[in-house]
């Protein structure tokens, strides 16, 4: 049960990071050039972390399925 809750928590964190990354990209469209560049960099970093979290969540999903099988 704890493993399932951890998987859900990781997926939730990744989703929030992706949402934040999209928000930063949207803001960069109307920001001045220097701020826009910083927002795009922050967005890229958040997307990278979120992708890694999803990879961990996927690995945890496989472990849960192996435990259930």
């Amino acid at each position: 049960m704890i493993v399932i809750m951890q998987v859900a928590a990781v997926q939730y964190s990744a989703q929030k990071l992706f949402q934040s990354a999209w928000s930063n990209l949207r803001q960069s469209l109307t920001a001045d050039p220097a701020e826009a560049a910083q927002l795009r960099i922050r967005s890229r970093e958040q997307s990278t972390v979120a992708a890694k979290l999803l990879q961990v969540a996927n690995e945890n999903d496989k472990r849960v399925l192996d435990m259930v099988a």
Side-chain angles (χ1 to χ4, degrees):
M1 182 68 157
I2 292 173
V3 175
I4 294 171
M5 291 172 53
Q6 289 173 340
V7 169
V10 170
Q11 289 173 337
Y12 178 79
S13 297
Q15 178 184 5
K16 288 298 179 186
L17 274 172
F18 274 126
Q19 289 173 345
S20 181
W22 274 109
S23 176
N24 285 333
L25 280 179
R26 281 192 303 273
Q27 290 176 9
S28 74
L29 296 174
T30 57
D32 62 77
E35 184 181 358
Q38 289 176 345
L39 287 166
R40 286 191 301 270
I41 289 169
R42 191 175 313 138
S43 175
R44 187 178 315 124
E45 290 169 347
Q46 290 169 328
S47 294
T48 301
V49 171
K52 289 179 182 177
L53 283 173
L54 288 177
Q55 182 180 10
V56 168
N58 187 41
E59 292 170 2
N60 287 343
D61 283 346
K62 289 178 184 177
R63 285 190 198 117
V64 168
L65 290 174
D66 287 345
M67 288 171 44
V68 173

